[in-house]
Amino acid sequence: MTCLNLLTDIPGIRVGHCQDLNLRTGVTAILFDRPVIASGSFPGGAPALRETALLEPENMVEHIHAVVLSGGSTYGLDATTGVQAWLREQFDNTPLPQGTIRVPIVVQASLYDLPQGGQTTWGRYSPYAEMGHQAATSARDGAFALGTAGAGTGATTATLRGGLGSASAITPAGHRVAALVAVNAVGTATIGDGPHFWGAPFEQGDEFGGLGMPAHLEAEDLRLRSKWASVTGTTIGLIVTDATLTKTQARRLAMLAQDGVARGVFPAHLPLDGDAMIGVSTCDKPAPLRQDWTEILHAATQVTARAIARGVYEASPLPGSAALPTWHERFGCKDTP
């Protein structure tokens, strides 16, 4: 199987985007060919979530059908309605035993990309339900856009434009592990005021510039460079493996992905962050042995950190003088010293 260094390197996953460049926001829908086992980790101080309570290991629902990432803060949680509607349309075309009702289970995390002051330009209802439906309709396997796309359209960090990033890996035992992350952090993905990424120790090839770490870290590099204090930020996403896991293990997977958030963003998990990671098992391969399970968790931290850096690295400019610069606008090509 071809490795694209994307979430879709794991079979049975489709990703679709919808974005509005005028509103500077968007939606990403992640659909599964078969229901998957999932749980989550939500240590951020200001999360915007939908249907995540059912992911708790002690709760009854075992499987979900889709994950949605969006902009729009709590307005953006309407995107689940559109994805759920699309799934219901597919269910209606599938023969079922008489009297059977299938309810699409969709989990969502949203980030804050609203204009300063929180003013919106839509009418009574937000556009996110329709955007969710469009994102689900466009979902495909294979390659998909990164950076300023889908949920990453309006994303920012403290110093640069954020974006949507993804990365994948294969463990020594052959399990695939992949992450998809929308980076809208209160902190930064880059070190100080330079071009180097906090996730550099985990980089594969030159997937986000190949610059490595700076020769020295100065005290100034560790200074807090947070967004304006009244606005929240968020790093949201999902971490997926093809190994068969329990819900409790899926939660552990999400927790290790949060370690990747802390390695890719500095600082992370602040009171104004809504950091959320959803752990998913597609169950395509048998349950891992103990050492194999440890390797999956080890990979989860690394691919999450890599996905964060790629999201910022792949961002594209947005119109308007108020827009933060992209990594490439500020630092140029990969051979930046």
Side-chain angles (χ1 to χ4, degrees), residues 33-299:
D33 290 349
R34 299 194 309 271
V36 297
I37 291 172
S39 190
S41 174
F42 313 107
L49 307 170
R50 181 165 170 176
E51 301 293 1
T52 52
L54 59 80
L55 297 178
E56 296 297 328
E58 69 272 18
N59 288 341
M60 183 186 72
V61 173
E62 286 288 337
H63 297 89
I64 66 172
H65 299 92
V67 172
V68 180
L69 307 177
S70 80
S73 186
T74 54
Y75 292 114
L77 297 178
D78 290 343
T80 286
T81 299
V83 175
Q84 190 175 50
W86 186 89
L87 287 167
R88 180 174 51 80
E89 291 163 3
Q90 313 315 304
F91 290 175
D92 287 347
N93 294 324
T94 303
L96 294 171
Q98 187 172 4
T100 300
I101 298 175
R102 294 181 67 186
V103 178
I105 305 299
V106 182
V107 174
Q108 182 176 354
S110 182
L111 58 82
Y112 191 106
D113 58 4
L114 301 176
Q116 291 194 48
Q119 300 302 310
T120 56
T121 58
W122 55 76
R124 176 171 294 175
Y125 299 108
S126 85
Y128 288 98
E130 181 59 31
M131 294 176 75
H133 192 277
Q134 291 181 28
T137 301
S138 69
R140 300 289 186 273
D141 57 11
F144 57 88
L146 299 180
T148 307
T153 300
T156 58
T157 69
T159 56
L160 298 169
R161 293 218 59 77
L164 193 80
S166 189
S168 70
I170 301 176
T171 70
H175 294 105
R176 290 186 180 269
V177 183
L180 176 64
V181 183
V183 187
N184 186 58
V186 172
T188 67
T190 49
I191 300 173
D193 293 318
H196 303 85
F197 287 93
W198 289 110
F202 312 109
E203 185 174 14
Q204 299 296 304
D206 59 354
E207 61 188 346
F208 43 88
L211 297 180
M213 292 289 285
H216 302 283
L217 286 180
E218 307 293 342
E220 179 65 15
D221 295 330
L222 305 179
R223 177 176 61 83
L224 178 65
R225 291 168 171 79
S226 64
K227 291 181 181 178
W228 46 94
S230 62
V231 175
T232 57
T234 299
T235 302
I236 56 175
L238 68 163
I239 181 76
V240 184
T241 182
D242 56 6
T244 296
L245 305 181
T246 65
K247 280 183 73 175
T248 299
Q249 288 175 314
R251 182 168 186 172
R252 179 63 56 182
L253 184 70
M255 291 169 63
L256 269 291
Q258 290 289 2
D259 287 350
V261 172
R263 284 161 173 78
V265 171
F266 181 76
H269 309 150
L270 294 170
L272 294 177
D273 276 314
D275 297 336
M277 290 298 296
I278 297 166
V280 172
S281 163
T282 64
C283 301
D284 284 335
K285 293 185 177 179
L289 301 174
R290 178 178 296 180
Q291 182 59 34
D292 298 339
W293 172 223
T294 301
E295 294 286 357
I296 290 170
L297 296 173
H298 185 56

